[in-house]
Amino acid sequence: MKYRWLTALPVYNEVRYVDAVLDEVTEYSPEVLVVDDGSTDGTSELLAARHDIQVERHATNRGYGAGLITAFDFAARHDYDYLVTIDCDGQHEPQRIPEFVAACEAVDLVSGSRYLRRFAGDNRPPADRQRINRQITDVLNRRLGLRLTDAFCGFKAYRVAALRDLEFTETGYAMPIELWVQAVAAGLTMIELPVPLIYLDESRSFGGELDNAATRLSHYYDVLERSLEAVNPRRPAMAMREFVAVG
């Protein structure tokens, strides 16, 4: 049976990378959506000049999670079967997109992991990001019964029908935490696939006070507690025996 799938990229002020990344993504994905999250650096103009992508634009910058939510809504409204999300800063390799789609035929969610195994040429991640990722990954595993190795990788594939059961409120970089909680509460099946560890730009801003690592970590814990409280009526179903890490 033939299915439809879409690759979506949330973008904010990525004028240095956007054209080169999209040139690659369009080689491996039949349809591409860019969610322009209120860019002001010339990214919007570059996107407008292309005729091989679809664009959804936020009038103002609403956050990384908001970009993903717009992509989820777009995929559902246009009846896609699968959605791949990939970042636009050069951290992800577009040639892996078909592998993610193929893996998603058997599960609801495929999540990339930069720590599942090593690749030749892997970069060293910024120390505070790696430490926070490890801490949040560990606590998600304990609280949700998962066996994650990378809680924050943006390279994912989703069965679009499964997303219809999820309701997101987090619009920033903490949105993946809410995603894991809701996915487990909804009983979704998930796997991880290894991806290389690539950092081309270590100066990413998480937004104001969240650029402080301690503040960011505290915020992530707050989001986790709010997300758990929000799904509390469904907590008895929160067991994830189907989770598999594919190395």
Side-chain angles (χ1 to χ4, degrees):
M1 178 179 176
K2 188 173 177 59
Y3 53 77
R4 297 180 65 224
W5 56 280
L6 172 76
T7 299
L9 300 87
V11 170
Y12 175 64
N13 287 352
E14 296 285 3
V15 71
R16 286 181 296 171
Y17 301 112
V18 65
D19 263 339
V21 170
L22 287 174
D23 285 346
E24 285 195 68
V25 171
T26 53
E27 288 186 32
Y28 298 98
S29 182
E31 299 185 61
V32 177
L33 169 72
V34 177
V35 181
D36 181 4
D37 190 30
S39 295
T40 58
D41 68 341
T43 295
S44 301
E45 289 74 15
L46 290 179
L47 295 175
R50 299 189 69 112
H51 303 287
D52 54 353
I53 61 171
Q54 303 175 80
V55 178
E56 291 278 294
R57 176 169 168 78
H58 298 165
T60 59
N61 179 240
R62 291 160 49 187
Y64 176 74
L68 291 176
I69 293 168
T70 294
F72 295 164
D73 290 344
F74 184 95
R77 284 189 287 110
H78 293 274
D79 296 320
Y80 288 96
D81 298 296
Y82 299 103
L83 170 69
V84 176
T85 58
I86 184 171
D87 291 346
C88 197
D89 56 4
Q91 289 194 32
H92 301 147
E93 296 181 327
Q95 65 265 33
R96 298 181 184 275
I97 291 172
E99 177 186 359
F100 273 67
V101 176
C104 204
E105 292 184 49
V107 294
D108 298 310
L109 168 60
V110 180
S111 186
S113 171
R114 298 158 290 184
Y115 303 107
L116 192 55
R117 70 176 174 89
R118 289 184 176 274
F119 289 81
D122 274 358
N123 297 138
R124 183 182 297 275
D128 65 326
R129 294 195 209 174
Q130 184 178 34
R131 174 177 55 81
I132 290 173
N133 191 339
R134 182 182 298 116
Q135 285 185 245
I136 295 299
T137 299
D138 287 346
V139 75
L140 286 171
N141 287 339
R142 291 197 307 272
R143 300 289 293 274
L144 302 179
L146 293 169
R147 296 193 297 278
L148 287 172
T149 61
D150 188 350
F152 287 102
C153 184
F155 201 160
K156 288 182 168 62
Y158 305 84
R159 188 172 62 86
V160 174
L163 291 172
R164 300 179 194 276
D165 296 329
L166 311 183
E167 297 180 7
F168 300 105
T169 60
E170 294 300 322
T171 58
Y173 283 104
M175 187 267 204
I177 296 171
E178 186 178 45
L179 168 66
W180 290 119
V181 172
Q182 290 202 20
V184 172
L188 303 192
T189 55
M190 302 177 272
I191 61 171
E192 279 187 325
L193 291 182
V195 296
L197 182 54
I198 302 171
Y199 276 96
L200 300 180
D201 182 4
E202 298 187 8
S203 61
R204 173 197 290 175
S205 172
F206 291 87
E209 63 182 8
L210 295 184
D211 284 335
N212 177 276
T215 302
R216 189 163 73 252
L217 180 61
S218 176
H219 173 65
Y220 288 166
Y221 277 116
D222 288 344
V223 170
L224 174 60
E225 294 305 323
R226 288 201 303 270
S227 299
L228 288 169
E229 184 177 350
V231 300
N232 188 60
R234 292 183 287 172
R235 286 292 291 279
M238 296 181 69
M240 201 59 246
R241 292 183 293 274
E242 295 87 353
F243 187 87
V244 178
V246 179

